[in-house]
Amino acid sequence: MTSASLVWAVTPLTTAKFFATTSIDETTLPGVSGVLTNTYTAEVDHDFRRWLTAVGRFTYGTQAYQGDARFDRFYSLSGDLIYKLNREVWIKGTVRRDILDSNQPGSSSAATVVMLGVRLQR
């Protein structure tokens, strides 16, 4: 696996990040030796207040199945809102849209995920 990242502090309150990853992954498909996966992510974090942060993220990736003609593209668009009650308790809400576009009939999909969580740390 190889990866690279770039972080840019746009302002004291806003940070832009870019991540790129290439990996060779396992698969359970017969006759396929592995999957070459390339993933690219752009993310922007903004602190509205010390206790309120928003995160926007877009991911694009490809999966080339070695030994098969299958080729997938995947996309993800998400937004997070983090409310920091104090140093030890955070509440995080996430909305994410995932899309898988495959050249294999019946393998494409789309999903919307909504999550709400609490982070406790000491």
Side-chain angles (χ1 to χ4, degrees):
M1 179 166 88
T2 61
S3 62
S5 63
L6 177 65
V7 178
W8 174 35
V10 181
T11 69
L13 300 176
T14 304
T15 305
K17 302 174 187 173
F18 178 76
F19 307 98
T21 304
T22 299
S23 62
I24 299 173
D25 303 320
E26 297 178 350
T27 182
T28 58
L29 295 176
V32 177
S33 58
V35 181
L36 178 62
T37 304
N38 295 302
T39 307
Y40 309 96
T41 301
E43 177 180 306
V44 176
D45 302 0
H46 182 73
D47 294 328
F48 294 106
R49 298 279 185 228
R50 184 181 311 187
W51 44 267
L52 185 63
T53 303
V55 180
R57 185 178 302 111
F58 176 75
T59 300
Y60 168 77
T62 60
Q63 293 179 314
Y65 289 75
Q66 306 303 303
D68 192 29
R70 181 172 175 171
F71 185 79
D72 295 347
R73 288 182 178 85
F74 57 91
Y75 310 87
S76 179
L77 181 63
S78 68
D80 301 343
L81 192 61
I82 303 166
Y83 179 71
K84 300 171 186 171
L85 293 169
N86 54 45
R87 289 184 175 192
E88 298 174 349
V89 181
W90 297 6
I91 298 172
K92 179 180 178 182
T94 302
V95 176
R96 187 179 73 224
R97 178 72 174 167
D98 296 328
I99 299 171
L100 174 65
D101 181 24
S102 179
N103 68 349
Q104 193 76 17
S107 295
S108 298
S109 65
T112 300
V113 179
V114 178
M115 294 183 286
L116 182 63
V118 176
R119 176 178 173 174
L120 303 172
Q121 67 182 22
R122 286 207 68 117

